[in-house]
Amino acid sequence: MNPLLTFATARRVLAQLRNDPRTVALLLVTPVVLVALMKWVYLDQDRVFQRIGVPLVGIFPMTSMFLVTSITMLRERTTGTLERLLTTPLAKLDLLGGYALAFGAVAVLQGALTSAVAFGLLGLDVEGPLLAVVVLAVVNALLGTSMGLLVSAFANSEFQAVQFMPVFLMPQILLCGLIAPRAAMAPALEALSNVLPMTYAYDALSRVAGGEGFSGNVASDTLVLAVASLLALALGAATLRRRTE
Amino acid sequence: MTEPAISIHHLRVVRGGNEVLHNLDLDIEPGVITGLLGPSGCGKTTMMRAIVGVQKVASGQVTVLGQPAGSSSLRAKVGYVTQAPSVYEDLSIEANLHYFARLYGVPTGRATAALEAVGLSEHSTKLVRQLSGGQRARASLASALLASPEVLILDEPTVGLDPVLRAELWATFHQLAGDGATLLVSSHVMDEAERCDRLVLMREGAILAHCPPRQLLADTGASTVEDAFLSLVRKPGVAV
């Protein structure tokens, strides 16, 4: 691995995004609009807004980075640039690291903007440290990025890649505790939710919303998310075969 | 003969259950342009992919500059330009070249000369997606030229280019070979054969002939490479 090549790759990915201002606008504005919409929907039920607001701000980056990454990586595979990259001195980990770095940077921007609007303008409250929400948003975005890199290996077209979003993420959203408390679920579903990374993202964010800081359960949840990211990244690296048929 | 730049021994490649390269043996001389000619589907691209180390091979060895093909020590020394342009559509030509320069660890300033060599200097700030097919192919070629690789594998680099540009690119290739680089250039247009120092004629996953163009014509008594190819196909016993 060579940090220079990792940075060069991150820079290239960001330059590609910069040439696509509409995607950047969608990435930054969509979560803000959704939080505002939620505020409006629950205008008379502030308790509900408070309960699901913070987790949503922190989890949204996972879904958007998952989509963006799986499509960009699929393009690398289908347009031949991936094969070309693998004939250059670039290591697989440099490539994956470059993606993680670039989309991590976008996630910082996205998380900061959404947080500023949600906490500054829309009256969303977080009892714990605000920084913890942004950090969790970035960790979740990195998890989304590594999962996106992984699933891109199983998609042959952009249609398929887009469909992986509901396949991989919707069940996690349903089971993570956001829609219904996990303790009230059928035991099989609760057991399943225990192995889904988003459960830990939701748990950490709702704890921060309730006043906990970066210690105890929040720290261990974050560790689980980080390990899940690395695992997905390692599996993703294994799908990047230098030699193909 | 000096140590070959590329050495292929008993190479067999199977794709989708079919054997597409049958026990190939080939030594490519260093510092010259070898043209790889044959009808489309004869295995030219598969052989080139094996040389750059991205092709799964069933058996046999491919050695490049004394190292097994695809070794990490070779990646800065071997340039590969695929038939379909492999550059980023949503980046400018210049940004593409700068990225590949960084990957090869050469100064980004080399982009200027590479763009000049492929005749794209005036378009350097254009996004690749705004370019024509031929321009994209040249942008892809420039991204490999800037690394000044010791071995350059070019898969149909001149398809769809106008004759003037084609002549200029061949002049560039000869200059690179003159500086010591080894070039393997594939084409399915037989009229490009005369521009090569050596020819490799392929058909259906096998090598029909490997010699200088003049010798090929002399040995087959044909007046063009195309006729020579036909006579070799009709009389597979002809030894060259």
Side-chain angles (χ1 to χ4, degrees):
Chain A
M1 233 185 131
N2 177 345
L4 282 177
L5 302 189
T6 313
F7 279 112
T9 303
R11 197 169 153 183
R12 183 263 296 175
V13 173
L14 288 174
Q16 285 179 286
L17 268 184
R18 233 190 352 260
N19 286 336
D20 186 359
R22 198 178 297 175
T23 296
V24 174
L26 284 168
L27 279 174
L28 296 181
V29 174
T30 312
V32 171
V33 170
L34 287 180
V35 175
L37 184 64
M38 199 164 55
K39 166 81 179 173
W40 197 9
V41 168
Y42 293 116
L43 206 53
D44 297 326
Q45 295 164 270
D46 194 53
R47 258 194 25 208
V48 182
F49 178 61
Q50 296 297 342
R51 187 178 73 78
I52 62 177
V54 176
L56 271 188
V57 168
I59 285 175
F60 195 84
M62 195 194 299
T63 60
S64 46
M65 295 309 155
F66 177 87
L67 266 180
V68 175
T69 318
S70 56
I71 300 281
T72 4
M73 194 47 149
L74 180 73
R75 272 195 215 155
E76 291 256 26
R77 289 176 195 271
T78 53
T79 59
T81 48
L82 179 66
E83 176 156 308
R84 177 172 212 163
L85 290 180
L86 293 177
T87 66
T88 71
L90 183 78
K92 291 175 197 173
L93 282 178
D94 292 324
L95 177 64
L96 296 176
Y99 267 98
L101 214 58
F103 289 126
V106 177
V108 171
L109 214 63
Q110 191 189 48
L113 185 69
T114 319
S115 303
V117 174
F119 300 115
L121 294 176
L122 299 173
L124 189 62
D125 279 325
V126 55
E127 309 271 328
L130 186 57
L131 184 65
V133 179
V134 178
V135 169
L136 279 163
V138 173
V139 172
N140 287 334
L142 291 177
L143 178 59
T145 298
S146 20
M147 289 194 297
L149 289 170
L150 175 59
V151 303
S152 76
F154 304 101
N156 291 323
S157 69
E158 297 189 0
F159 281 140
Q160 291 178 7
V162 170
Q163 292 305 318
F164 276 130
M165 207 279 269
V167 170
F168 272 77
L169 296 185
M170 278 306 282
Q172 298 202 54
I173 292 173
L174 287 175
L175 294 176
C176 73
L178 181 72
I179 310 288
R182 292 194 308 129
M185 291 175 191
L189 290 181
E190 196 189 347
L192 179 60
S193 75
N194 283 333
V195 296
L196 297 175
M198 201 188 281
T199 305
Y200 298 87
Y202 173 77
D203 188 66
L205 286 158
S206 55
R207 282 174 192 275
V208 172
E212 286 185 37
F214 244 122
S215 56
N217 285 318
V218 178
S220 60
D221 283 340
T222 311
L223 189 68
V224 170
L225 293 168
V227 170
S229 295
L230 290 177
L231 194 68
L233 216 51
L235 289 172
T239 67
L240 293 179
R241 291 281 161 76
R242 184 162 273 122
R243 284 181 187 273
T244 51
E245 242 198 33
Chain B
M1 185 170 147
T2 47
E3 187 80 358
I6 302 167
S7 197
I8 298 177
H9 288 295
H10 303 313
L11 177 65
R12 278 180 58 246
V13 173
V14 176
R15 294 180 67 186
N18 298 318
E19 186 171 286
V20 293
L21 293 184
H22 319 296
N23 209 20
L24 284 195
D25 285 297
L26 183 66
D27 281 339
I28 305 276
E29 244 181 276
V32 299
I33 303 179
T34 301
L36 182 57
L37 300 181
S40 58
C42 71
K44 299 189 296 286
T45 299
T46 306
M47 190 171 99
M48 292 183 138
R49 294 183 74 236
I51 292 170
V52 294
V54 296
Q55 177 68 53
K56 256 188 205 160
V57 303
S59 63
Q61 289 98 41
V62 182
T63 313
V64 181
L65 303 173
Q67 305 281 320
S71 308
S72 57
S73 60
L74 285 176
R75 285 187 208 127
K77 297 179 189 165
V78 178
Y80 174 43
V81 182
T82 50
Q83 197 172 345
S86 47
V87 278
Y88 296 97
E89 288 199 355
D90 41 7
L91 286 182
S92 68
I93 302 180
E94 200 173 38
N96 268 293
L97 264 62
H98 287 177
Y99 177 52
F100 284 105
R102 289 189 187 100
L103 295 189
Y104 285 112
V106 300
T108 51
R110 288 212 196 161
T112 318
L115 282 174
E116 210 160 297
V118 299
L120 279 179
S121 303
E122 288 161 36
H123 305 284
S124 64
T125 55
K126 271 194 192 165
L127 293 184
V128 169
R129 77 163 87 93
Q130 298 167 329
L131 303 178
S132 72
Q135 288 172 325
R136 285 176 200 217
R138 283 185 276 153
S140 191
L141 177 60
S143 307
L145 291 182
L146 54 72
S148 326
E150 291 175 37
V151 173
L152 195 49
I153 309 294
L154 306 173
D155 200 353
E156 310 232 352
T158 57
V159 169
L161 298 186
D162 76 74
V164 178
L165 200 67
R166 205 141 53 115
E168 281 172 12
L169 278 182
W170 275 102
T172 306
F173 298 161
H174 279 287
Q175 199 185 326
L176 291 169
D179 293 342
T182 304
L183 283 83
L184 182 64
V185 185
S186 78
S187 177
H188 65 265
V189 199
M190 301 280 173
D191 65 1
E192 291 205 309
E194 283 136 50
R195 304 179 189 269
C196 303
D197 304 309
R198 293 279 182 284
L199 289 182
V200 173
L201 293 194
M202 271 184 90
R203 186 171 187 258
E204 292 174 356
I207 292 172
L208 295 179
H210 178 200
C211 59
R214 236 176 310 154
Q215 192 190 331
L216 177 76
L217 298 182
D219 288 354
T220 55
S223 57
T224 64
V225 174
E226 186 140 4
D227 288 339
F229 181 83
L230 287 173
S231 81
L232 283 174
V233 169
R234 284 170 191 154
K235 285 184 283 178
V238 172
V240 179

